[in-house]
Amino acid sequence: LASPVLGDDGAAQPRKTPLNPDVPSCRLVTAQEIEKSIGSPAVIKETSGDEKTAGICSWKGGKPDAYASVTLFPGNGRDVPAGQERPAFDASIELMKRQHKPGELEPISGIGESAWALNLTDNPTRYFAVYLFKNGTNATITTNGADLQATIDLSRAAASRM
């Protein structure tokens, strides 16, 4: 699953940190699920965190400029007091609603305990995001070069494994 990091000239660059496909965010979706939205082959291009912490798992797809990213935030890992994870998530959603145009951040039913889709009005790169909360943890799934339904489908898969 590892691939070399390429510089602007196309030459392989040394990777600062090794890829770790075992971070929890990488285990929320499969390569086959990612490939449905961003093309084959889907290759992990960045990870952060370790087997016990949250983190980021970013994938590059076979379609030009297409990518998907899964970011996992355990509630207690962000200075959120125990039992306040859901109110903190809801507050972040309210803040995002104020930062976007009406209708750009809409609720999605059937994904976790709460999920919201970002569908920008002006969106030439086809960037989409789904913010979801389940079991005291929230995750953000983003795609570029896909479509909103593909991002929602990845979010359903991720929520089913949280």
Side-chain angles (χ1 to χ4, degrees):
L1 290 176
S3 65
V5 175
L6 302 179
D8 291 336
D9 61 358
Q13 303 293 310
R15 186 178 303 281
K16 292 180 179 125
T17 57
L19 291 175
N20 182 357
D22 292 323
V23 296
S25 54
C26 285
R27 294 190 310 255
L28 292 181
V29 293
T30 67
Q32 293 80 14
E33 290 164 336
I34 294 282
E35 287 172 352
K36 288 179 185 175
S37 61
I38 62 173
S40 177
V43 178
I44 295 174
K45 68 176 187 170
E46 176 189 10
T47 61
S48 70
D50 60 34
E51 291 82 4
K52 295 182 177 130
T53 62
I56 297 171
C57 188
S58 295
W59 301 73
K60 179 175 178 12
K63 296 178 187 174
D65 299 321
Y67 70 82
S69 183
V70 178
T71 308
L72 195 59
F73 305 98
N76 59 4
R78 299 181 305 133
D79 299 323
V80 175
Q84 294 301 304
E85 297 89 354
R86 177 65 188 266
F89 175 80
D90 291 343
S92 69
I93 293 297
E94 289 304 316
L95 177 62
M96 283 189 276
K97 282 186 198 174
R98 290 192 298 272
Q99 294 172 338
H100 294 285
K101 295 176 185 174
E104 287 186 333
L105 191 64
E106 292 292 323
I108 308 169
S109 61
I111 300 178
E113 297 164 42
S114 179
W116 295 80
L118 178 65
N119 185 5
L120 300 171
T121 304
D122 182 24
N123 196 0
T125 64
R126 296 183 335 215
Y127 171 84
F128 299 98
V130 172
Y131 307 95
L132 69 98
F133 181 87
K134 182 178 177 187
N135 298 328
T137 299
N138 69 65
T140 302
I141 291 76
T142 59
T143 61
N144 197 74
D147 62 28
L148 179 58
Q149 188 58 54
T151 311
I152 291 170
D153 291 344
L154 288 173
S155 300
R156 275 190 215 296
S160 74
R161 295 178 183 114
M162 288 175 67

